[in-house]
Amino acid sequence: MTSAPHPEIAPPPGHIKAVCLDIDDTLLDNAGSSRLGLRALIGNDAAWPVWRHTTEEHYERYVAGELDFATMCRERTRAFFAAFGEQLSDAEAAAREDHRMAAMQAAWRLFDDALPCLEWLRATGLRLAVITNAPGAYQRKKISRTGLASAFDSLVISGELGIAKPDPRIFHAACDSLDLAPHEVVHVGDRLDTDALGAADAGLHGVWLNRTGTEHAPPDGVSMITSLAELPELLVCELPFAPGIPAQADGTAREPGTPSHPDTARPRLGALSS
């Protein structure tokens, strides 16, 4: 059933023209797939806190350029087993990591709110980009496998650029790729420091996606949402918004997934992900 058209709200000067998004634990349930990979590795995920802590330590070294991605993965697996008293050779660490990685990649899934939100953003005429800290080939494979290969106007990946969030230069590179000024761009991510504050410090509108609902008042200059389903209302009601954003008569955003003016120039995201 097709609903009647809803009036749109005229945008103020200096409106938002693009939204950039993080990938892992923003659009894609990386923690969920990683836990499944851990189960494949040791038979359960009881040691998830140890795995997560070990991952944080080693991933920081990768982002800092101290290790390449493959070495980071192998050394993380070795350190994880060492924490429980088992010492692995290089060959055994690599074999176990390959097994874990295959299981994790098979479990890559988008969050339920990801596609409806992206559909809504596209319907408004907003440009879409990715800003992610990861190796290029690895992250592009992830984007492709989850049906998002044609979803974005630009992909800005730290492993290809040589600069990682929260460095302002990676946010500025994304703005340049869209031919927009930072104040015309919103960036959404699950990390308060790396994503939201990093974006705000670079002159973008930083939005923290706090999926866990942790009680934490965001600092000045940063907005907080607990689901991507809340992003449309934030754009319409709290941030300067773009032309064409579907809105209800009372000024609130139309529910994600029910755009009034779909963009037919590009494939629909639902079709891409099927």
Side-chain angles (χ1 to χ4, degrees):
M1 181 172 63
T2 302
S3 59
H6 289 269
E8 297 169 1
I9 303 173
H15 51 256
I16 298 299
K17 296 179 180 177
V19 173
C20 298
L21 298 110
D22 174 54
I23 291 293
D24 296 317
D25 293 318
T26 297
L27 294 175
L28 179 140
D29 185 5
N30 189 66
S33 60
S34 186
R35 289 187 83 125
L36 288 172
L38 182 60
R39 289 176 194 154
L41 186 64
I42 62 173
N44 60 70
D45 62 1
W48 173 248
V50 178
W51 178 263
R52 186 164 187 172
H53 176 71
T54 306
T55 296
E56 291 284 348
E57 287 187 337
H58 284 71
Y59 206 80
E60 284 182 8
R61 296 181 64 194
Y62 162 72
V63 171
E66 296 177 18
L67 300 171
D68 61 55
F69 187 68
T71 302
M72 183 279 295
C73 291
R74 185 178 65 250
E75 290 303 312
R76 172 185 54 187
T77 297
R78 189 203 307 274
F80 172 76
F81 282 99
F84 297 98
E86 185 177 0
Q87 303 301 320
L88 302 181
S89 66
D90 284 349
E92 182 60 25
R96 294 191 190 186
E97 172 56 24
D98 287 347
H99 177 67
R100 185 204 68 84
M101 181 68 78
M104 183 187 71
Q105 292 187 9
W108 279 341
R109 298 290 185 275
L110 298 176
F111 286 106
D112 290 342
D113 57 10
L115 285 176
C117 181
L118 290 172
E119 287 278 13
W120 186 91
L121 292 171
R122 173 177 288 176
T124 69
L126 288 165
R127 304 194 72 191
L128 300 179
V130 160
I131 307 177
T132 179
N133 285 356
Y138 178 75
Q139 211 68 342
R140 287 178 183 275
K141 178 166 71 171
K142 185 181 297 180
I143 290 167
S144 177
R145 284 194 181 179
T146 53
L148 300 181
S150 301
F152 300 99
D153 299 293
S154 176
L155 300 179
V156 179
I157 304 174
S158 67
E160 298 175 348
L161 195 62
I163 304 167
K165 297 178 293 185
D167 191 314
R169 292 175 294 172
I170 194 169
F171 295 103
H172 293 161
C175 294
D176 290 345
S177 73
L178 298 168
D179 198 25
L180 295 173
H183 71 269
E184 297 176 304
V185 181
V186 170
H187 175 71
V188 184
D190 68 293
R191 296 295 185 102
L192 175 58
D193 52 353
T194 305
D195 287 303
L197 286 173
D201 288 345
L204 291 74
H205 298 269
V207 178
W208 177 31
L209 176 57
N210 180 12
R211 285 193 178 277
T212 63
T214 305
E215 293 186 10
H216 192 299
D220 291 342
V222 167
S223 301
M224 185 182 78
I225 56 178
T226 59
S227 165
L228 289 176
E230 298 171 12
L231 183 59
E233 186 170 353
L234 176 71
L235 291 172
V236 170
C237 298
E238 297 186 32
L239 296 176
F241 54 91
I245 286 190
Q248 310 288 358
D250 63 1
T252 59
R254 180 188 294 276
E255 285 296 315
T258 58
S260 60
H261 303 291
D263 181 353
T264 57
R266 293 185 289 180
R268 291 182 59 81
L269 296 177
L272 291 173
S273 63
S274 60

